[in-house]
Amino acid sequence: IILYEVSKLYYITLRLIVMVSCCSTYTAPAYIWAILSIISAIMCPFGLYFSNWLEFEESNGTFTSLSSFRKCENETQKITISCDDYITFGEIYSTSWQVVTILFGIGACLLILVALTAIFGFCVKHLFNIGVTVITMISQIVGVLFYLAGILVFPVGWNSDEVKSICGSKSNIYNFGNCTLGWAFIIIIVGTGVALAAAIMSWTPLLKRKKDREPSYAI
C-alpha cells in the first residue's frame, strides 16, 4: 500500500512538472529564480510575524520574546502565536524599531508581489517581456534592500530603556546583553539571503527556451 501511494504521488508530481513545463517559457535558471523568490516570500514574512527576534529566559522559567512591534511572555513554550501587540505605532519602543517595522513591512509586500508574479509565470506563456521583467527586478531589489536595511537598523534599538529592562543594563547598540538572537530573526536573515540570490537572478525570465525562440511553420 505504501509503495502504491508513493508511486501515485510520484506520478502526480511528474504530471504537474510536465504541465508546468508545457505552459511556461521558463528556462532552468528562471525556474531556480522563481523557486528562490517563492521561498524568500514565505520566509521573510513568516519571521516578521513571530516575536522571537530577541529572546530572554528568566531563572523562574518565564520566557520573553521581543520583536520591533510585539512582546510576548510565556511560561510553557518558546513559540507564542497569541501575545500582546503594540496598540499604536507610537508605542513601539524606539524610533529605529519604528523604521524597522516600516522597512520590513514594505519589503515583505514587494517580495510577495514578486513571488506571485513568478507563480503566474508558471501558468502564463510569454508573461515576462522586458517591461514586466524590469518591474519585477526593481521590486525584488528594493525589497531586498529594505530587508537588509531593517536587519542593520534593528540592533540600533537595543539601547532603549524597555529593551534594557528585559535584556539587562549591558544591552546596547549591536549588543543584546543577556538576551539571545531569536529563531524568527534568523529566519528573516536567511530569507533575505535567499531573496538576494533571487534578485541576482531576476533577469533570467527574459531567457527563452530554444523551441520558444524559433517560430514554428505549419506544413
Side-chain angles (χ1 to χ4, degrees):
I1 296 176
I2 297 177
L3 289 176
Y4 172 74
E5 293 297 332
V6 171
S7 61
K8 185 177 179 181
L9 180 62
Y10 174 78
Y11 175 75
I12 294 174
T13 305
L14 188 61
R15 286 290 301 271
L16 288 174
I17 293 174
V18 172
M19 289 174 61
V20 168
S21 63
C22 291
C23 297
S24 174
T25 56
Y26 281 162
T27 57
Y31 275 116
I32 296 174
W33 165 80
I35 293 172
L36 292 177
S37 299
I38 295 170
I39 292 175
S40 64
I42 294 173
M43 294 182 68
C44 290
F46 181 82
L48 177 62
Y49 174 78
F50 288 95
S51 64
N52 300 74
W53 296 11
L54 283 179
E55 300 175 339
F56 178 71
E57 188 170 4
E58 299 180 15
S59 57
N60 60 1
T62 301
F63 184 84
T64 303
S65 58
L66 190 68
S67 71
S68 65
F69 59 95
R70 304 184 80 182
K71 175 185 176 182
C72 301
E73 294 183 358
N74 200 296
E75 297 180 355
T76 57
Q77 59 182 6
K78 294 186 177 182
I79 299 177
T80 307
I81 297 178
S82 177
C83 59
D84 295 331
D85 294 346
Y86 298 109
I87 299 174
T88 64
F89 185 76
E91 291 180 337
I92 294 178
Y93 286 163
S94 64
T95 303
S96 59
W97 281 16
Q98 292 175 343
V99 173
V100 170
T101 303
I102 295 174
L103 290 173
F104 281 175
I106 297 176
C109 292
L110 291 173
L111 294 182
I112 291 173
L113 178 63
V114 171
L116 291 175
T117 307
I119 292 173
F120 278 117
F122 284 114
C123 308
V124 181
K125 278 190 173 183
H126 308 295
L127 172 66
F128 284 91
N129 54 31
I130 294 179
V132 173
T133 304
V134 169
I135 293 174
T136 303
M137 289 174 60
I138 294 174
S139 299
Q140 195 161 39
I141 292 172
V142 172
V144 171
L145 292 177
F146 274 29
Y147 260 90
L148 288 174
I151 291 171
L152 295 176
V153 173
F154 176 61
V156 176
W158 294 352
N159 65 341
S160 65
D161 294 336
E162 292 80 0
V163 175
K164 287 185 177 182
S165 66
I166 299 172
C167 300
S169 58
K170 291 183 180 180
S171 65
N172 207 331
I173 298 176
Y174 285 91
N175 182 359
F176 42 66
N178 298 327
C179 292
T180 57
L181 200 62
W183 60 265
F185 197 73
I186 293 175
I187 286 179
I188 290 176
I189 294 174
V190 175
T192 303
V194 175
L196 178 61
I200 295 173
M201 301 183 65
S202 59
W203 58 274
T204 56
L206 281 177
L207 298 176
K208 302 298 182 183
R209 295 178 298 182
K210 185 176 180 180
K211 67 177 183 179
D212 295 317
R213 292 196 303 265
E214 295 178 351
S216 57
Y217 299 95
I219 299 176

